[in-house]
Amino acid sequence: MLKVLKKVSLFSSLTDEQLEVIGQHCKGKSFKNGHLLFREKDQGAEFYVVMSGSVKIYTSSGGEDKILSLFKSGDSFGELSLLDGKPRSASAAVVDDSVLLTLDKVSFLNVLRENFDIAIMIMQELCTRLRDTNQHVHDLTFLDSRTRILKHLIQMANKHGVRQGTTISLRIVFNFDELSRMAGVKKDTFMEAIREFQTKQILTVTDEGFTIDLAKLRG
């Protein structure tokens, strides 16, 4: 459990002893693909850390989902509504069969009260996420669709993939519907850009994931 907690950005600067304090309150739970963890507007009850698998965070409007984030091993989510007491700002669902660590609201808040360093780490992470949100808004406003799609794929690969020289590979099911929503473009626009990237050998897509060749970007 400590190995997973060390990967969490909220806890990256904490000592093993501090991580053990958090681990004492965590419970491991297994979830099947498609399981809904919580809905937008639900009251927050738990904080989550992904041990394996992946979880999507999304909002729904007019029968269509907009994916905001995809969390994989070492990522955490769900702390916002525990801190401010307001309903969930988005929904969360398991994308692959996953194992999550959960920390209930009472234990979560008690850990913060008793550990100032942990509270500071969470504040810093929230600031980082706010900056990311501001950057996303900027991208939607000023970047064209092709650039936005490519930037999104590179960010995903950098965060969750493996780099070898100028190539970055990510093992993930290439779901065109979900990825187009995450990039904030229509599916046909997304597919057109993907075909262009493949033709130029910037992007290679397989059944197991995709690979980006950064050297081809300079070609």
Side-chain angles (χ1 to χ4, degrees), residues 107-218:
S107 297
F108 179 79
L109 294 178
N110 283 340
V111 167
L112 295 188
R113 291 189 188 97
E114 297 168 5
N115 298 270
F116 179 71
D117 289 343
I118 297 176
I120 289 294
M121 288 297 102
I122 289 181
M123 290 172 62
Q124 291 175 345
E125 175 66 12
L126 291 176
C127 290
T128 297
R129 293 183 184 181
L130 178 58
R131 292 178 187 276
D132 289 344
T133 299
N134 290 340
Q135 183 62 52
H136 183 62
V137 171
H138 176 276
D139 290 349
L140 289 175
T141 303
F142 296 105
L143 297 184
D144 61 78
S145 297
R146 178 188 178 279
T147 305
R148 198 156 69 237
I149 292 167
L150 185 57
K151 179 178 179 180
H152 176 71
L153 292 176
I154 292 174
Q155 286 177 331
M156 282 185 62
N158 271 328
K159 184 175 182 181
H160 301 296
V162 176
R163 181 162 183 166
Q164 293 183 323
T166 62
T167 64
I168 315 173
S169 299
L170 175 61
R171 294 176 60 86
I172 184 174
V173 177
F174 208 84
N175 186 311
F176 293 101
D177 290 313
E178 292 190 348
L179 288 172
S180 61
R181 294 189 194 113
M182 291 179 72
V185 300
K186 294 182 178 180
K187 184 178 178 180
D188 57 349
T189 302
F190 184 84
M191 294 294 293
E192 182 180 347
I194 293 302
R195 286 192 290 269
E196 178 190 342
F197 299 152
Q198 289 178 304
T199 299
K200 294 181 177 180
Q201 299 181 326
I202 296 171
L203 178 71
T204 302
V205 180
T206 68
D207 292 338
E208 297 182 346
F210 67 88
T211 299
I212 296 175
D213 189 342
L214 300 176
K216 299 294 184 181
L217 294 175
R218 298 189 289 270

Side-chain angles (χ1 to χ4, degrees), residues 10-11 45-49 76-79 82 101-103 108:
L10 293 180
F11 310 144
E46 292 181 306
F47 168 74
Y48 299 87
V49 175
S76 61
F77 61 95
E79 74 284 346
L82 302 190
L101 290 180
T102 64
L103 185 63
F108 179 79

